[in-house]
Amino acid sequence: MNERKLNIVIIDDHPIFRMGLVRSLEDEPGMTIVAEGASSDEALLLFIQHRPDIVLLDLSMPGGGHTAISAILAEDAKAIIVVLTASEQQGDIVEAIEAGARAYVLKGVESSELVRIMRDVFEGKTYVSPPLASRMSRSFDGGRVKTPSRHETHDRHAMSDLTAREEQILVLVADGNSNKEVARLLNLQEKSIKHVMTRVLRKLHARNRTEAAKYWRDAHSKD
């Protein structure tokens, strides 16, 4: 039986990885890559232009993958989004699924397995990579993802929404380091630090990095 051809939009800001992914999926039967992008803005624009069956996107990109998920689903609540990322942070997983992603897949998956996952998701199933599933089970209550508590004041409860990596970077920022200096200290790219700080500002409802650093210092001055 011939399976329905799926139209896919791929959003990933690493050109070499994206190129390899496109080639791998195009070699698989029933897959058509209709567009590629590298940012959350492009993700929304390409979704509106092409109305693909599935948007396959990374979380680390200009504008943020979580932002892209929310924007696309605000445009069309029935949109199918599959996250393909290297992040194993539970905060990223929970936030992506709460935002409406149907699947959370770790990079390194075989292309044939990725195709199977996308077909299952297209048929209405959900998926989280097995190495992460046990961690996720602790975040579910009666089949629903627990929403982290948020408070208007930026105390420890607000800080608890941050992943370990986000807090690590915020600590270095609060110590007065620039994005470039943080990147050097952690052996990361400067753009990766910018992406993380964008998520931190959103989670803490902070207007800028100075305000976020102040919230961190205030929270930890209570020791």
Side-chain angles (χ1 to χ4, degrees), residues 80-117:
I80 298 176
I81 300 174
V82 172
V83 172
L84 179 64
T85 184
S87 175
E88 298 185 31
Q89 294 289 342
Q90 185 166 326
D92 281 341
I93 305 167
V94 172
E95 188 173 351
I97 292 176
E98 286 186 331
R102 302 280 188 90
Y104 195 100
V105 187
L106 291 178
K107 287 183 175 180
V109 65
E110 295 288 341
S111 59
S112 58
E113 176 67 4
L114 180 58
V115 168
R116 183 192 67 76
I117 292 167

Side-chain angles (χ1 to χ4, degrees), residues 55-162:
V55 178
L56 184 63
L57 60 77
D58 194 1
L59 293 180
S60 176
M61 66 173 74
H66 294 104
T67 299
I69 296 170
S70 298
I72 290 170
L73 289 170
E75 170 68 25
D76 183 353
K78 295 182 179 179
I80 298 176
I81 300 174
V82 172
V83 172
L84 179 64
T85 184
S87 175
E88 298 185 31
Q89 294 289 342
Q90 185 166 326
D92 281 341
I93 305 167
V94 172
E95 188 173 351
I97 292 176
E98 286 186 331
R102 302 280 188 90
Y104 195 100
V105 187
L106 291 178
K107 287 183 175 180
V109 65
E110 295 288 341
S111 59
S112 58
E113 176 67 4
L114 180 58
V115 168
R116 183 192 67 76
I117 292 167
M118 288 194 291
R119 287 206 171 277
D120 284 348
V121 169
F122 183 73
E123 294 298 325
K125 298 179 182 178
T126 57
Y127 179 89
V128 175
S129 287
L132 308 176
S134 61
R135 302 182 208 172
M136 283 299 298
S137 66
R138 295 193 295 271
S139 298
F140 281 84
D141 182 17
R144 296 177 61 83
V145 180
K146 294 179 181 177
T147 303
S149 59
R150 294 185 184 275
H151 298 265
E152 291 301 319
T153 55
H154 296 79
D155 56 12
R156 288 191 183 277
H157 296 289
M159 292 296 160
S160 69
D161 286 348
L162 301 181

